[in-house]
Amino acid sequence: MQRDAMNIAALQDALSGRWNRIEVVPETGSTNADLLADANAPDRSVRFAEHQSAGRGRLDRSWESPTGAGLMFSVLLRPTVPLNNWGWLPLLTGVALREAVAAIPSSGADVHLKWPNDLLLGPEEKKLAGILAQSADGRVVIGIGLNVSTTAEELAGLPDATSLAIAGIDADRTQLAIAILTRLDALLAQWEDGRTDPASYRAACSTLGRTVTVTGADGVELRGVAKDFDVDGHLLLEVDGTVLTIAAGDVRHVRPI
Ligand code: BTN
């Protein structure tokens, strides 16, 4: 299938001034790994790949996408905000991603976040995009993978995944990336000023109020009701009358029968 390459000139025109270094590479292992390994990468670096041979997902999963089918990119930040507030960064990235997808002209995309930051599409709640944040030595790298023109055949074997194309939404990857990074820039400015509004995340996240199961890294599964998020963006899960604070885990929305 013929797919347009990312337009680096258009990205740089639209984003320079907000993002300091913008690159597009045809092929790499993982854009997250690249930026983490680059000790000299400036604050607000952005690296896109047309293809990744070792794309990483949350909870030790992989992220795979055919060449040019999706957006795969990472941003590197060197925040001056105290470390204990960094938990908001992947959540705000999810908010930016959701707003940008919802704003695709005439798409009417029904998208929302599943805590912490999976982007789900439509009433079937299939996964359209995921976010992986990794930090090291005063830097944080936030990677985004979004299925754009991926076909159903290409997603065979991933029954819970979808793409914009499968939903009948035609999107230009370059314009979508510009929209995501413009929104993320605005949310980061608020965050740096201590003006993050948790309400924007609450409004974007359909996990709140739902019965969910949460599977931790140890494989232990908890079932409860998602009551709220704390100031660090952690999930407050009520299990048998006790509210537990969940920092990380794999959430499944339990559907009413
Ligand atoms: C998830 O849902 O598990 C997170 C997926 C994150 C994938 C993106 S693709 C660009 C960046 N580079 C990686 O290796 N991973 C992230």
Side-chain angles (χ1 to χ4, degrees):
M1 183 187 287
Q2 184 62 38
R3 287 168 159 137
D4 290 343
M6 298 287 295
N7 183 336
I8 180 72
L11 288 168
Q12 283 170 340
D13 270 3
L15 298 170
S16 55
R18 297 179 169 126
W19 296 91
N20 290 325
R21 190 180 82 181
I22 303 167
E23 311 166 291
V24 180
V25 295
E27 166 85 35
T28 190
S30 153
T31 54
N32 266 40
D34 290 349
L35 288 182
L36 280 170
D38 182 355
N40 298 319
D43 179 44
R44 301 242 178 175
S45 295
V46 189
R47 185 169 174 87
F48 292 87
E50 296 287 8
H51 186 253
Q52 294 184 129
S53 56
R56 298 179 186 176
R58 289 180 63 239
L59 308 170
D60 275 339
R61 297 184 181 132
S62 61
W63 182 270
E64 290 173 22
S65 179
T67 301
L71 276 177
M72 286 176 287
F73 68 101
S74 304
V75 303
L76 178 138
L77 307 172
R78 295 178 178 276
T80 51
V81 170
L83 189 64
N84 60 354
N85 282 325
W86 291 18
W88 275 102
L89 289 171
L91 306 185
L92 295 179
T93 306
V95 173
L97 188 54
R98 176 179 182 258
E99 289 178 358
V101 170
I104 297 170
S106 67
S107 83
D110 163 24
V111 276
H112 48 266
L113 298 168
K114 182 181 73 161
W115 184 86
N117 43 34
D118 280 354
L119 189 67
L120 306 182
L121 179 75
E124 292 191 319
E125 301 200 310
K126 293 206 170 183
K127 181 163 168 172
L128 186 62
I131 293 170
L132 172 67
Q134 297 175 287
S135 55
D137 311 327
R139 300 166 296 151
V140 60
V141 172
I142 307 166
I144 296 175
L146 168 67
N147 296 324
V148 179
S149 65
T150 330
T151 63
E153 292 71 31
E154 288 168 331
L155 287 175
L158 294 170
D160 294 332
T162 193
S163 72
L164 290 172
I166 292 171
I169 299 167
D170 187 27
D172 177 88
R173 286 186 305 144
T174 302
Q175 293 309 318
L176 194 48
I178 290 170
I180 295 166
L181 287 165
T182 302
R183 283 171 168 76
L184 182 56
D185 169 62
L187 291 169
L188 287 174
Q190 289 177 358
W191 178 74
E192 281 159 357
D193 290 350
R195 290 186 292 115
T196 289
D197 178 6
S200 67
Y201 180 72
R202 286 193 177 95
C205 181
S206 64
T207 303
L208 262 191
R210 300 274 294 266
T211 298
V212 300
T213 61
V214 184
T215 309
D218 51 7
V220 172
E221 185 180 286
L222 294 167
R223 183 183 170 117
V225 177
K227 300 302 278 185
D228 204 353
F229 311 101
D230 70 10
V231 289
D232 299 317
H234 296 159
L235 175 66
L236 301 179
L237 183 73
E238 187 178 280
V239 181
D240 299 332
T242 302
V243 176
L244 307 175
T245 302
I246 311 285
D250 195 24
V251 166
R252 195 170 58 81
H253 289 167
V254 176
R255 288 168 171 275
I257 301 172

